[in-house]
């Protein structure tokens, strides 16, 4: 008899990691009882990693007499009783048993991370099947396929059973959704506006019968006799209307947006409006062709993949790059940025946006996309967050190269955080070696920018650095927040960093020459 | 502003030896240590924490570096981690910018503006995932049971989803064997400025509910209180009172104004009415810090609950999200927030396409919340969610005891979740009589029902 899946060491020899949770700070917990914090498995829980084969297997427990298969050992044991075989049921163990959580074996999956482990075996099995398994269950009525049988069943129950139809024409498969919609639908509002008409009485009579019985189709009872409601785009139309919400309420919402966010006493929407939002049915999503949408309307120069990976800072730098290069004075930059910051939301509203250049923070040379290249994994599920090309190490290096050379690269400066030292403005376009920072002045501006020679001259060069690149005694803060000693490469910290985390670049060798005793204790803690 | 090196974060870093970056604090290296090659959730979380602590210690350089890295991870169309990260990053920037506060930042709104939805759009919105519907279903069922035998019901509705909860209750009341009770719903005029936002007033919403009730033949009345101008009513039969409050105070201290109206006369409480209090995603907006001057050391939240108790309600239902997001420490909030909000993001990922506008909207609303939790402090930080456990304790302290949800309620909720396919589950916490919506086993939303101790009934 196969061993139970529940044991941490199974026949297939999966290892079990004994402690989950590698969070830096244990979450604050004032709960007296032993209770998992929401979203996080018990830090003491045992993390179990099962193999794909194990997870996909069903009916692994086979009766030796009749070969009947069972998903659980308990069920098998009960069955064995029927054969008059010895049986044992594992007793429900006492509370002292360690809680177990399960991780997904798929490395790229979010549930591979112990902090996202799932709490029960069934859950992880279903997840694995659903996400990484083959979809072998197909709905008869529509073309949807499912990997997990219960999902398929759930879908089959509702597929094609849209028996609730509102007067406005929208179909619903769930009664509560239908009721809620109906209560607020304009069609009802108009109907009640005609209270004095005979049709209304008829409606009420119908409603009464519908209301008093437990029958479902209120909608059906109604559609027959209400006067033809303003007409609707049939709910079944193919998802052509791209983004129904914006076109219609856009005018209203655009106006409202500027006036703030309180529910205002706007007049009731015109009857036309409900027709537009309705087509996207609750249970289905019209795969809007326009994606994150504003971009299709935008005239961006770098719309390729950048548009899909529109970073938070995209519009931030759009405004700054748009306005030439230097913006020595802060207030304009600040307002620009504030304005720019609000744009991404308009974008979410799918209003056409002005120049959107998704530029990564600090690297103006890298137009278009983040270092990642295509981070728009629309077609992929669970795309690994960083692409293979850019490991954490590489990101770090890039971060170190990030310089003030990028226009208004200093996000924080633009946001008004930096000191108002007048030299700060000039720093933007100057390379490290040109910076005229005296050792004791505000180190922030310089600290904000590590050098970025135009065009990303090789990392190696940066690392090695011709001595002229780095001014002497730049007591500026490198990105680690450490003071720089004389002749120290600004990336000395970086090199040591890379060494310590074992980055696989030969930079490490080069960096080693910079490491070590270049930094004196007095630089650390310097609060210039 | 100069960047200062804080001893606590950086003096431990000695470059004499390359082990320097073993210290997890204060360095990008520490942040990325152990997550080479894959920036998974744990790694992102660390980065966020580093960014936060960099901001708190004014280490602008480090903050910028980390933000840069985060920006390369973040993607509003990526996987749930990436999407979540983009909202967190935005919140951190929002926070950073507030170092130099401007007039733009005086409210707790940050940069995220949300569009206004129509009522029908909102009706769709609340059904995207069972996140809200779970609470509605459990609450309505508990309410239905609690008002058994009453012919008059008065619901005091404190919620952020604009009465989306009530149609199904009205429907259920309409089908009551003994006939529907007459129903009165009172809402406060003030509502925290958080999404989801409607493009119509609450009076308009009340009108529609009234229409629907008429259609279902349930006598209905809708009232708005706390308004500086009036105690307005949009029903066929009503008594109206005018409450005069100063405009000024109502805008600065809306909750306090509201509190002052929670008395039997302002609410026009009737003896033979079953009073129901509905808290849906609401209590979190009441300040939970003790206030010595006004409330004698209690917090607004506690005072509010005490006042509610004094109204002698038949039942108080409380629904909210199950997480503690109001710690005073920023890093603690970031951790908890990140580890909790992946839940709805993950759920949305499972059911909706990456570029689904509904999904983006839903996520944006969560982003709005993140921005407030991470980006603000003090009175501007209006999102002060506490978990079901903590809330239950608070209710008990205020003099309520919990009542269990009946089997039929549980059955209804289960049926609801079944329709939403796998992944969603429900569990009962016996100790607190709590029903909890779970996603992949993780607690998402809790629902509880309470009655005042020594409350007696309305008959005495």
């Amino acid at each position: 008899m196969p061993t139970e899946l529940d044991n941490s060491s199974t026949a297939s020899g999966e290892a079990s990691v004994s402690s989950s949770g590698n969070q830096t700070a244990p979450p604050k917990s004032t709960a007296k009882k032993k209770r998992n914090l929401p979203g996080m498995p018990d830090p003491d829980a045992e993390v179990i990693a099962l193999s794909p084969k194990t997870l996909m297997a069903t009916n692994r427990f086979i009766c030796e007499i009749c070969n009947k298969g069972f998903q659980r050992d308990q069920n098998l044991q009960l069955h064995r009783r029927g054969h008059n075989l010895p049986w044992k049921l594992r007793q429900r163990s006492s509370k002292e048993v360690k809680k177990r959580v399960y991780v997904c074996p798929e490395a790229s999956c979010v549930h591979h991370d112990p902090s996202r482990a799932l709490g029960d075996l069934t859950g992880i099995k279903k997840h694995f099947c659903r996400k990484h398994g083959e979809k072998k269950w197909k709905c008869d009525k529509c073309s949807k396929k499912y990997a997990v049988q219960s999902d398929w069943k759930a879908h089959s129950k509702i597929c094609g059973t849209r028996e609730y139809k509102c007067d406005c024409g929208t179909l619903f498969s769930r009664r509560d959704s239908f009721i809620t919609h109906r209560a607020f639908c304009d069609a009802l509002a108009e109907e009640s506006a005609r209270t004095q008409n005979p049709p209304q009485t008829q409606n009420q009579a119908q409603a009464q019968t519908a209301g008093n019985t437990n029958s479902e189709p209120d909608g059906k009872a109604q559609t027959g006799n209400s006067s033809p409601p303003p007409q609707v785009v049939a709910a079944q139309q193919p998802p052509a209307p791209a983004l129904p919400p914006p076109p219609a309420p856009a005018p209203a919402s655009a106006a409202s947006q500027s006036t703030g966010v309180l529910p205002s006493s706007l007049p009731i929407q015109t009857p036309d409006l409900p027709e537009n939002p309705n087509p996207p049915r609750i249970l289905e999503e019209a795969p809007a062709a326009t994606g994150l949408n504003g971009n299709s309307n935008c005239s961006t120069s770098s719309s390729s993949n950048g548009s899909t990976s529109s970073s938070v800072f995209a519009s931030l730098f759009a405004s700054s790059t748009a306005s030439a290069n230097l913006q020595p004075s802060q207030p304009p930059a600040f307002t620009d940025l504030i304005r720019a910051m609000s744009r991404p939301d308009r974008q979410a509203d799918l209003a056409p946006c002005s120049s959107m250049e998704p530029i990564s923070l600090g690297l103006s040379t890298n137009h278009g996309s983040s270092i990642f290249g295509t981070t728009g994994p629309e077609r992929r599920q669970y795309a690994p967050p960083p692409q293979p090309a850019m490991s954490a190490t590489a990101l770090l290096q890039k971060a170190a190269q990030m310089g003030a050379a990028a226009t208004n690269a200093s996000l924080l400066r633009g946001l008004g955080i930096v000191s108002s030292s007048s030299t700060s403005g000039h720093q933007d376009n100057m390379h490290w070696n040109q910076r005229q920072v005296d050792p004791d002045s505000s180190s922030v501006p310089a600290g904000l920018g590590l050098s970025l020679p135009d065009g990303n001259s090789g990392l190696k060069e940066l690392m090695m650095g011709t001595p002229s690149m780095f001014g002497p005694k730049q007591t500026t803060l490198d990105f680690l927040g450490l003071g720089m000693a004389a002749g120290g490469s600004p990336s000395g910290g970086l090199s040591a960093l890379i060494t310590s985390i074992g980055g696989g670049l030969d930079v490490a060798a080069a960096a080693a020459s910079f490491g070590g005793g270049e930094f004196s204790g007095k630089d650390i803690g310097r609060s210039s | 502003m100069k960047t200062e090196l804080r001893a606590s974060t950086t003096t431990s870093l000695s470059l004499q030896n390359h082990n320097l970056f073993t210290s997890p604090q204060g360095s990008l290296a520490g942040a990325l240590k152990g997550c080479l090659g894959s920036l998974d959730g744990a790694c992102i979380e660390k980065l966020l924490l580093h960014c936060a602590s960099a901001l708190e210690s004014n280490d602008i350089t480090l903050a910028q570096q980390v933000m840069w890295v985060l920006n390369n991870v973040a993607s509003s169309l990526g996987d749930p981690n990436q999407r979540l990260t983009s909202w967190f990053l935005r919140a951190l920037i929002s926070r950073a910018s507030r170092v130099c506060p401007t007039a733009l930042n005086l409210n707790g709104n940050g940069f995220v503006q949300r569009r206004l939805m129509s009522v029908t759009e909102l009706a769709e919105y609340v059904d995207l995932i069972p996140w809200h519907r779970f609470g509605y279903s459990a609450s309505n069922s508990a309410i239905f049971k609690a008002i058994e035998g009453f012919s008059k019901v008065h619901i005091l509705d404190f919620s952020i989803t604009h009465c989306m909860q009530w149609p199904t209750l009205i429907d259920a009341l309409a089908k009551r064997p003994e006939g529907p009770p007459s129903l009165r719903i009172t809402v406060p005029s003030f509502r925290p400025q958080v999404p989801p936002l409607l493009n119509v007033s609450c009076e308009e919403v009340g009108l529609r509910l009234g229409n629907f009730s008429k259609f279902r033949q349930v006598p209905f009345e809708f009232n708005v209180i706390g308004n500086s101008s009036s105690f307005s009513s949009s029903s066929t039969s009503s008594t109206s009172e005018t409450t005069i409050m100063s405009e000024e105070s109502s805008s600065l201290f809306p909750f306090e104004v509201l509190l002052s109206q929670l008395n039997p006369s302002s609410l026009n409480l009737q003896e033979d009415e079953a009073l129901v209090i509905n808290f849906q995603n609401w209590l979190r907006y009441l300040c939970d810090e003790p206030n010595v001057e006004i409330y004698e050391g209690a917090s607004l939240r506690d005072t509010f609950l005490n006042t509610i108790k004094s109204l002698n309600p038949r039942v108080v239902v409380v629904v909210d999200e199950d997480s503690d997001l109001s710690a005073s420490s920023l890093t603690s909030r970031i951790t908890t927030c990140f580890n909790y909000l992946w839940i709805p993001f993950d759920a949305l990922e499972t059911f909706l396409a990456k570029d689904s506008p509904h999904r983006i909207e839903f996520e944006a609303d969560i982003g709005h919340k993140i921005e407030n939790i991470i980006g603000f402090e003090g009175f501007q930080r209006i999102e002060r969610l506490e978990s079901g456990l903590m809330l239950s304790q608070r209710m008990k302290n205020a003099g309520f005891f919990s009542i269990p949800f009946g089997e039929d309620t549980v059955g209804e909720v289960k049926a609801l979740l079944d329709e939403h396919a796998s992944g969603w589950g429900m569990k009962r916490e016996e100790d607190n009589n709590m029903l909890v919506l779970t996603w992949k086993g993780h607690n998402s939303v809790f629902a509880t029902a309470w009655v005042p101790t020594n409350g007696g009934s309305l008959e005495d």
Side-chain angles (χ1 to χ4, degrees):
Chain A
M1 185 159 331
T3 49
E4 295 90 343
L5 274 174
D6 297 337
N7 283 345
S8 49
S9 56
T10 67
S12 6
E14 285 83 15
S16 91
V17 178
S18 60
S19 148
S20 73
N22 47 0
Q23 288 90 5
T24 46
K28 195 166 90 145
S29 164
T30 51
K32 297 183 184 105
K33 303 199 170 65
K34 182 176 159 131
R35 182 173 183 264
N36 293 350
L37 287 157
M40 296 198 298
D42 190 335
D44 297 332
E46 192 180 0
V47 178
I48 303 189
L50 299 170
S51 75
K53 186 154 158 278
T54 312
L55 289 175
M56 299 271 292
T58 53
N59 297 352
R60 293 181 65 256
F61 302 97
I62 314 288
C63 172
E64 63 219 32
I65 307 287
C66 60
N67 274 332
K68 192 166 152 93
F70 296 89
Q71 293 202 22
R72 293 174 162 179
D73 181 55
Q74 309 248 42
N75 299 345
L76 173 61
Q77 295 301 328
L78 285 167
H79 166 83
R80 275 164 60 93
R81 283 198 292 178
H83 292 305
N84 293 320
L85 284 173
W87 57 279
K88 61 170 172 40
L89 281 178
R90 280 201 318 158
Q91 300 302 327
R92 190 113 191 110
S93 22
S94 66
K95 292 204 177 158
E96 267 62 281
V97 165
K98 226 174 161 65
K99 163 112 176 97
R100 292 189 176 116
V101 294
Y102 304 87
V103 292
C104 180
E106 178 63 37
S108 62
C109 178
V110 69
H111 293 297
H112 189 66
D113 176 359
S115 67
R116 299 273 182 271
L118 301 181
D120 68 329
L121 183 59
T122 314
I124 190 70
K125 285 165 90 172
K126 275 202 177 145
H127 155 77
F128 186 78
C129 277
R130 194 188 287 133
K131 265 276 142 31
H132 311 296
E134 180 205 333
K135 293 183 168 22
K136 41 186 193 176
W137 302 93
K138 182 187 168 305
C139 174
D140 305 325
K141 300 165 202 156
C142 70
S143 61
K144 281 197 171 167
K145 290 195 182 148
Y146 296 88
V148 177
Q149 187 182 17
S150 51
D151 289 345
W152 171 76
K153 270 193 195 158
H155 165 82
S156 302
K157 263 200 282 189
I158 60 171
C159 185
T161 61
R162 306 192 155 223
E163 33 183 304
Y164 307 103
K165 183 166 183 249
C166 179
D167 291 339
C168 67
T170 321
L171 292 176
F172 299 88
S173 61
R174 289 194 11 244
R175 187 158 191 276
D176 46 13
S177 317
F178 166 63
I179 300 270
T180 309
H181 166 89
R182 185 146 226 285
F184 293 110
C185 181
D186 293 338
L188 185 65
E190 283 155 27
E191 219 176 272
S192 66
R194 302 181 207 107
T195 39
Q196 44 282 43
N197 301 354
Q200 184 62 22
T201 327
Q202 206 179 349
N203 283 355
Q204 283 182 348
Q206 287 264 352
Q208 191 150 18
T209 42
N212 288 345
T213 66
N214 258 335
S215 71
E216 304 314 58
D218 292 327
K220 278 190 187 159
Q222 278 306 309
T223 44
N225 58 5
S226 56
S227 28
Q231 233 6 291
V232 132
V233 190
Q236 267 134 6
Q237 90 181 24
L243 288 335
S253 59
S256 324
Q257 262 179 3
S258 51
T259 56
V261 298
L262 279 176
S264 51
S265 306
L266 290 179
I268 304 178
Q269 286 178 334
T270 66
D272 291 321
L273 283 174
E275 294 150 24
N276 285 333
N278 278 330
R281 281 170 296 222
I282 295 176
L283 293 176
E284 280 180 19
E285 284 306 317
T290 45
L292 218 221
N293 315 339
N295 285 323
S296 62
N297 296 333
C298 295
S299 51
T300 64
S301 51
S302 56
S303 57
S304 55
N305 44 21
S307 60
T308 56
S309 68
S310 55
S311 62
V312 174
F313 296 142
S315 56
L316 217 70
F317 288 93
S319 67
S320 51
T321 52
S323 48
N325 276 335
L326 259 188
Q327 295 208 11
S329 55
Q330 288 169 10
F334 187 41
T335 10
D336 277 351
L337 283 160
I338 300 295
R339 243 185 289 126
M341 283 290 285
S342 60
R343 274 196 222 126
D345 315 295
R346 303 264 174 81
Q347 177 194 351
D349 297 348
L350 312 157
C353 57
S354 53
S355 67
M356 283 270 307
E357 289 186 352
I359 305 171
S360 303
L361 169 64
L363 280 183
S364 60
T365 54
N366 225 357
H367 274 272
S369 56
S370 67
I371 300 286
F372 289 178
T374 59
T375 27
E378 299 101 321
R379 306 292 163 237
R380 288 178 282 155
Q381 304 271 22
Y382 281 109
Q387 50 339 290
M390 181 67 55
S391 69
T393 318
L395 260 187
L396 201 60
Q397 286 149 13
K398 281 289 186 184
Q401 290 171 39
M402 193 169 79
T407 60
N408 288 342
S410 162
L411 155 75
L412 298 175
R413 167 176 324 163
L415 290 172
I417 292 179
V418 199
S419 88
S420 49
S421 138
S422 60
T423 59
S424 63
H426 294 299
Q427 303 311 326
D428 287 343
N429 278 338
M430 298 168 102
H431 294 302
W432 183 272
N433 55 339
Q434 295 164 19
R435 199 166 293 116
Q436 308 292 324
V437 178
D438 63 276
D440 293 317
S441 73
S442 157
S443 52
V444 170
L448 281 167
L450 296 183
S451 71
L452 173 61
D454 269 336
N456 286 345
S457 60
L459 181 63
K460 204 171 183 176
E461 184 189 12
L462 179 66
M463 288 302 172
M464 307 288 258
T466 53
S468 62
M469 264 183 84
F470 313 114
K473 294 226 184 286
Q474 298 285 350
T475 54
T476 53
L477 303 170
D478 67 10
F479 75 96
L480 293 172
L482 301 169
M484 304 303 300
S489 103
S491 316
L494 173 64
S495 57
L497 160 70
I498 292 175
T499 309
S500 79
I501 60 178
L505 299 167
D506 57 358
V507 115
S513 62
F514 288 99
E518 306 244 333
F519 304 92
S520 58
K522 81 172 159 75
D523 286 323
I524 298 170
R526 176 192 291 265
S527 60
S528 55
Chain B
M1 178 192 322
K2 295 187 176 183
T3 302
E4 295 185 8
L5 293 171
R6 291 286 167 83
S8 59
T9 57
T10 55
T11 47
S12 58
L13 303 176
S14 148
L15 290 180
Q16 306 300 337
N17 58 344
H18 293 308
N19 288 334
L20 107 106
F21 301 104
T22 51
S23 154
Q25 313 294 333
S27 78
L28 202 51
L32 294 179
K33 195 170 175 59
C35 40
L36 289 180
S38 83
L39 284 163
D40 62 0
C43 198
I44 294 172
E45 187 190 322
K46 274 200 236 177
L47 285 173
L48 289 171
L49 291 174
H50 276 73
C51 189
S53 66
L55 286 174
E56 292 200 311
S57 55
N58 277 341
D59 187 344
I60 307 302
T61 315
L62 179 57
Q64 188 190 24
Q65 299 293 335
V66 180
M67 280 184 182
W68 186 90
V69 176
L70 284 171
N71 187 44
N72 277 287
V73 174
S75 163
S76 49
L77 285 184
D79 70 26
N81 268 339
Q82 288 177 294
R83 296 165 89 116
L84 199 50
T85 302
S86 76
W87 291 108
F88 269 83
L89 186 53
R90 187 190 290 260
L92 285 166
I93 294 172
S94 199
R95 187 186 183 92
S97 76
R98 221 151 282 106
V99 173
C100 276
T102 68
L104 293 176
N105 300 327
L106 281 184
N107 55 9
N109 266 347
F111 296 122
V112 183
Q113 287 184 354
R114 279 282 292 115
R115 72 178 187 107
L116 308 181
M117 287 191 264
S118 71
V119 282
T120 38
E121 285 171 331
L122 182 59
E124 263 190 271
Y125 176 92
V126 298
D127 270 322
L128 276 180
I129 49 177
W131 199 266
H132 293 290
R133 181 69 63 194
F134 165 82
Y136 296 168
S137 181
S139 303
N140 285 349
S141 190
I143 293 172
F144 189 85
K145 241 175 41 157
I147 61 175
E148 227 165 65
F150 282 83
S151 58
K152 289 167 81 171
V153 179
H154 181 195
I155 300 181
L156 204 45
D157 180 24
F158 300 104
S159 111
I160 60 169
T161 51
H162 307 275
C163 297
M164 286 294 132
Q165 178 172 348
W166 306 121
T168 40
L169 179 66
I170 292 171
D171 178 66
L173 291 177
K175 302 193 296 206
R176 213 164 70 148
E178 66 264 36
S182 69
L183 176 63
R184 186 153 79 95
I185 296 184
T186 301
V187 301
S189 62
F190 170 75
R191 179 188 169 281
Q193 297 178 19
V194 296
L197 302 168
L198 266 190
N199 61 4
V200 296
S201 66
C202 54
E203 282 85 0
E204 170 63 29
V205 173
L207 258 180
R208 299 205 180 210
L209 276 184
N211 277 339
F212 181 66
S213 302
K214 207 186 323 182
F215 166 62
R216 296 309 306 271
Q217 299 188 312
V218 175
F220 182 80
E221 192 181 309
F222 189 82
N223 303 309
V224 180
I225 57 162
N227 207 331
S228 61
S229 52
S230 67
F231 172 95
S232 68
S233 147
S234 60
S235 71
T236 50
S237 68
S238 69
T239 59
S240 69
E241 282 173 30
T242 317
T243 313
I244 304 184
M245 303 290 306
S246 79
E247 283 276 0
E248 209 179 273
S249 68
S250 74
S251 58
L252 286 179
F253 303 105
F255 286 119
E256 285 75 357
V257 168
L258 179 59
L259 191 57
S260 69
Q261 303 233 284
L262 295 184
N263 55 73
S265 72
S266 299
L267 294 173
N268 195 21
L269 296 186
Q270 312 282 335
E271 284 297 313
D272 52 348
E273 248 179 1
L275 177 64
V276 172
I277 316 283
N278 187 59
F279 286 120
Q280 189 255 338
N281 288 11
W282 177 273
L283 286 174
R284 55 164 96 155
Y285 296 110
L286 297 173
C287 182
D288 57 352
E289 283 168 21
N291 189 320
V292 176
E293 296 140 33
I294 310 181
Y295 303 119
E296 291 130 9
S299 64
L300 172 61
R301 193 175 299 188
D302 288 325
T303 310
F304 204 94
L305 289 174
N306 289 332
T307 309
I308 291 290
K309 180 178 184 230
S310 73
L311 298 176
N312 206 11
R314 182 85 188 151
V315 69
V316 178
V317 285
V318 184
V319 168
D320 217 324
E321 293 167 356
D322 197 4
S323 184
D324 286 302
L325 293 176
S326 88
S328 48
S329 137
L330 174 68
T331 48
S332 167
R333 294 204 303 274
I334 288 182
T335 304
T336 317
C337 205
F338 190 71
N339 282 311
Y340 172 70
L341 290 175
W342 80 268
I343 296 173
F345 272 70
D346 192 59
L348 289 166
E349 157 89 1
T350 308
F351 296 111
L352 298 176
K354 284 201 188 305
D355 50 7
S356 148
H358 286 92
R359 173 176 173 186
I360 289 170
E361 193 168 52
F362 207 96
E363 290 176 351
D365 291 350
I366 297 176
H368 189 281
K369 193 154 56 184
I370 294 174
E371 192 180 355
N372 188 264
I373 295 172
I374 307 285
F376 289 85
E377 291 293 349
F379 69 90
Q380 291 176 311
R381 177 160 61 91
I382 60 177
E383 297 271 350
R384 297 193 178 234
L385 180 67
E386 60 184 346
S387 64
L389 202 63
M390 303 299 289
L391 190 282
S392 295
Q393 190 54 54
R394 191 184 291 274
M395 293 295 285
K396 287 175 188 159
N397 293 345
F400 292 92
F401 71 89
S402 67
I403 54 175
F405 289 93
E407 286 309 314
D408 40 357
T409 305
V410 173
E412 274 177 46
V413 176
K414 273 204 183 133
L416 165 74
L417 295 181
D418 280 343
E419 286 180 340
H420 280 273
S422 319
W424 294 109
M426 179 192 70
K427 64 182 188 192
R428 292 155 109 163
E429 303 249 336
E430 305 292 346
D431 333 331
N432 291 313
N433 288 321
M434 226 165 49
L435 279 187
V436 184
L437 173 71
T438 59
W439 168 253
K440 293 186 177 174
H442 295 274
N443 287 15
S444 314
V445 178
F446 70 85
T448 51
W450 306 87
V451 295
T453 52
N454 310 320
S457 62
L458 281 172
E459 279 88 58
D460 59 18

